[in-house]
Amino acid sequence: MLRCTNSIVGTRTKSLRRLLSAAPSLASSVEVTQSSSSLASLVEVTQSSSSSPSRLQALRQQLANEDAGLDEFARPKSEIIIRKKAPPRSSKILPKPKWLRVQPADSDNYRELRKTVRKLGLATVCEEARCPNIGECWGGGKDKTATATIMIMGDTCTRGCRFCSVKTSRKPPPLDPEEPEKVSSAIAKWGLDYVVLTSVDRDDLEDQGSNHFREVIQKLKEKKPDLLVEALTPDFQGNEELIQNVATSGLDVFAHNVETVKRLTSKVRDRRANYDQSLAVLKYAKNVGNCITKTSLMLGLGETEEDLMETLHDLRAIDVDVVTFGQYLQPTRKHLPVKKYVTPEEFDEWKIKADNMGFKYVASGPLVRSSYKAGEFFLKNLLNDRKMEEQNLAA
Amino acid sequence: SKTVSITYLEADGTSKTVDADIGTDLMTTAHDNDIELEGACGGELACSTCHLIFEEDIYDTLPEKDDEEDDMLDLAFEVTETSRLGCQIIVQENFDGMTVKIP
């Protein structure tokens, strides 16, 4: 059944005029009136020449028949396009602001990287969590350095945080024992300078995957000693031994996301996660691994300025080096709605505040994510400086 | 398949009445009808975001909840005596005409 709105009527009458003018044996003058009811009342065909009256009668008959669509004249039945009316957008979903336009994922680099990722059998959080930056990071950005954040330990998580679209299961498939070898070989082949490894939570495993994580990092470092490795880890339920496995694996940056402010943590994250626990993870990792520590926060979940200042103080108190802020985006209808779209200016203000509090590096912007490329370039410099310092001290 | 009429009362007071397929769970039914109900873990009993509050007489007819659902429900916001997780409740015939509240 065709539904006619004014705009569709406009189009159809134009098409009908075109059609009838291309068929001179029919009418030589056509009166088209706009109406929102059936198509039959749209057209009044008048005959001024007497050629083929039966064809015209047949045409009138067909038009008068409610089921005949214009497409039946214009195209063969098999090609009729059915336009489905889009479901009404919920009035409760905040409209997206102008500054959140992303580069569509369509460059050659992007396609190349996607092919490589598939071929090597890698899972990326970029795809699993529907990151809006995928086109830019995979596309290579200004300096053509493709970045991807590799997800290990499968694509299925044991937790169900309200902001995350990664699949959840109480019992995800078992770990692939070949993964450390496979992933490290694949990444080594890639020619990256800086790689971020992240994983799902595996509360179902005895060591929650920490040994597996450690193995991936170690093998990577074996194969490519110059490769800078950042690990974005689970909380391992605060278990120090498990944290130590990863923190002392030889990685360069230990990252663990607090995700949001203390007050909102129970509303936003899975019940097994908690704010103080995450701080403890970051604190312990630094103590035991002597590595750069990093964390990320999503804004727009309902946090106040006081909430956020408190969090920044908490992070500095445990000597976290790097913090990133990004806008929370609702990944699917089944997830937490956005409370507020924080303006680029507000993001800039937070960068200034955090810089002044002594973080070594702050990345802040609506589309900034934990492993967004911007941080990596700085960190690359920072880490190289560190290395040089160490070498100088040794000399 | 046979349907029954169910009303979802959304958090802000909006009321939506839908035709629910018998045999489908209430979370999926809500999603299929653009009702504002989350389902962060996709029905895996790993969250409590599909929490629904039932009318007492309907609640009494629901199959018993198992421990896993109970664990998750305990942590739900504004949980009540007649609360259940929508992903675990399958539409029954006697649901016809009932209202469920989204806290």
Side-chain angles (χ1 to χ4, degrees):
Chain A
M1 261 290 105
L2 289 167
R3 265 185 239 153
C4 295
T5 63
N6 281 339
S7 58
I8 294 177
V9 163
T11 320
R12 294 215 188 281
T13 53
K14 265 188 242 153
S15 314
L16 187 55
R17 264 193 252 255
R18 227 180 295 135
L19 177 73
L20 289 173
S21 62
S25 64
L26 299 172
S28 50
S29 88
V30 176
E31 248 187 299
V32 179
T33 56
Q34 277 199 348
S35 148
S36 56
S37 57
S38 78
L39 208 50
S41 55
L42 273 182
V43 175
E44 273 179 31
V45 177
T46 60
Q47 185 185 4
S48 59
S49 83
S50 57
S51 52
S52 350
S54 57
R55 175 113 168 84
L56 186 57
Q57 268 162 16
L59 183 61
R60 276 204 184 111
Q61 187 58 45
Q62 207 172 345
L63 279 175
N65 177 351
E66 292 254 317
D67 287 325
L70 183 58
D71 294 27
E72 251 128 73
F73 302 108
R75 292 191 200 88
K77 257 203 166 81
S78 55
E79 284 174 53
I80 290 175
I81 298 159
I82 298 164
R83 267 190 210 93
K84 266 181 86 174
K85 197 162 174 208
R89 197 152 171 66
S90 167
S91 54
K92 284 166 238 169
I93 293 183
L94 282 180
K96 254 204 196 142
K98 285 193 274 287
W99 61 78
L100 277 176
R101 292 285 146 80
V102 277
Q103 188 185 332
D106 200 33
S107 62
D108 287 332
N109 267 9
Y110 166 76
R111 278 190 284 268
E112 210 35 64
L113 191 49
R114 196 176 59 185
K115 237 185 353 184
T116 309
V117 162
R118 298 263 179 283
K119 195 172 69 164
L120 299 173
L122 294 169
T124 63
V125 74
C126 319
E127 290 185 291
E128 293 304 320
R130 298 161 198 257
C131 180
N133 297 321
I134 194 171
E136 193 182 341
C137 294
W138 289 28
K142 321 184 211 84
D143 32 20
K144 302 291 163 211
T145 320
T147 309
T149 299
I150 305 300
M151 204 157 87
I152 59 171
M153 311 210 286
D155 61 5
T156 307
C157 186
T158 41
R159 301 189 188 178
C161 297
R162 286 172 77 190
F163 54 84
C164 183
S165 68
V166 171
K167 291 194 276 282
T168 304
S169 166
R170 294 183 79 87
K171 195 84 183 105
L175 295 183
D176 176 4
E178 306 293 317
E179 182 174 57
E181 184 56 41
K182 275 198 240 170
V183 164
S184 54
S185 307
I187 295 173
K189 272 197 201 104
W190 221 340
L192 287 175
D193 306 291
Y194 190 111
V195 71
V196 182
L197 294 172
T198 192
S199 75
V200 291
D201 284 324
R202 292 303 299 257
D203 300 292
D204 61 316
L205 301 173
E206 191 158 348
D207 72 341
Q208 298 178 53
S210 75
N211 282 300
H212 185 104
F213 216 132
R214 179 187 176 86
E215 227 192 304
V216 175
I217 299 169
Q218 285 177 323
K219 281 198 188 274
L220 252 180
K221 284 289 187 177
E222 262 168 44
K223 293 186 164 63
K224 261 201 122 190
D226 290 336
L227 178 64
L228 294 169
V229 178
E230 175 181 316
L232 174 57
T233 73
D235 57 27
F236 298 118
Q237 294 176 24
N239 182 315
E240 288 185 346
E241 193 191 315
L242 303 181
I243 299 167
Q244 184 169 17
N245 280 344
V246 179
T248 59
S249 61
L251 48 58
D252 300 285
V253 179
F254 183 99
H256 173 66
N257 293 347
V258 290
E259 309 292 8
T260 186
V261 300
K262 185 168 186 166
R263 184 176 56 85
L264 296 176
T265 296
S266 60
K267 284 205 191 102
V268 163
R269 294 175 79 182
D270 183 280
R271 62 165 189 122
R272 279 159 283 197
N274 87 64
Y275 181 84
D276 289 329
Q277 179 173 260
S278 286
L279 290 180
V281 170
L282 287 162
K283 183 174 182 186
Y284 185 72
K286 178 159 264 229
N287 284 347
V288 81
N290 190 30
C291 40
I292 292 180
T293 51
K294 175 174 168 182
T295 196
S296 283
L297 285 142
M298 295 173 288
L299 303 188
L301 291 163
E303 66 288 329
T304 65
E305 207 177 302
E306 291 75 31
D307 286 330
L308 211 35
M309 279 310 281
E310 181 192 50
T311 300
L312 292 177
H313 279 297
D314 291 340
L315 292 170
R316 276 279 73 223
I318 55 170
D319 207 17
V320 170
D321 302 294
V322 180
V323 66
T324 79
F325 303 105
Q327 169 69 50
Y328 167 64
L329 293 177
Q330 183 179 12
T332 77
R333 292 292 300 276
K334 297 182 190 168
H335 293 87
L336 194 54
V338 175
K339 269 264 147 56
K340 177 182 173 197
Y341 282 108
V342 178
T343 65
E345 292 74 33
E346 281 175 84
F347 273 104
D348 289 339
E349 280 168 26
W350 283 110
K351 173 153 164 58
I352 295 169
K353 287 194 180 103
D355 276 331
N356 289 339
M357 288 172 77
F359 287 96
K360 287 212 176 76
Y361 184 68
V362 181
S364 180
L367 291 171
V368 168
R369 295 289 181 266
S370 172
S371 43
Y372 185 60
K373 1 191 288 29
E376 289 153 20
F377 297 139
F378 173 85
L379 285 176
K380 203 168 136 195
N381 293 332
L382 177 67
L383 291 167
N384 285 336
D385 288 341
R386 255 186 153 208
K387 278 200 182 128
M388 271 172 56
E389 252 181 66
E390 283 165 11
Q391 283 165 4
N392 289 341
L393 285 173
Chain B
S1 54
K2 222 185 154 219
T3 65
V4 290
S5 177
I6 295 182
T7 302
Y8 286 85
L9 190 56
E10 292 183 358
D12 67 348
T14 318
S15 187
K16 278 197 187 133
T17 305
V18 306
D19 287 322
D21 287 324
I22 294 183
T24 308
D25 68 82
L26 285 176
M27 180 187 77
T28 306
T29 305
H31 292 159
D32 288 344
N33 286 280
D34 287 329
I35 308 272
E36 298 285 332
L37 182 68
E38 281 176 49
C41 78
E44 287 287 324
L45 286 177
C47 76
S48 53
T49 59
C50 66
H51 170 206
L52 293 170
I53 300 170
F54 290 79
E55 295 160 329
E56 204 175 323
D57 52 343
I58 300 284
Y59 180 80
D60 290 337
T61 69
L62 301 177
E64 278 231 27
K65 53 186 136 109
D66 52 20
D67 288 337
E68 286 163 354
E69 185 187 344
D70 225 351
D71 281 343
M72 290 300 140
L73 211 41
D74 274 344
L75 306 154
F77 289 108
E78 297 166 12
V79 72
T80 69
E81 301 265 299
T82 57
S83 288
R84 294 293 297 265
L85 294 184
C87 64
Q88 300 300 302
I89 306 300
I90 309 294
V91 175
Q92 302 165 179
E93 277 235 37
N94 70 318
F95 284 8
D96 197 27
M98 83 163 175
T99 299
V100 279
K101 184 161 176 264
I102 300 170

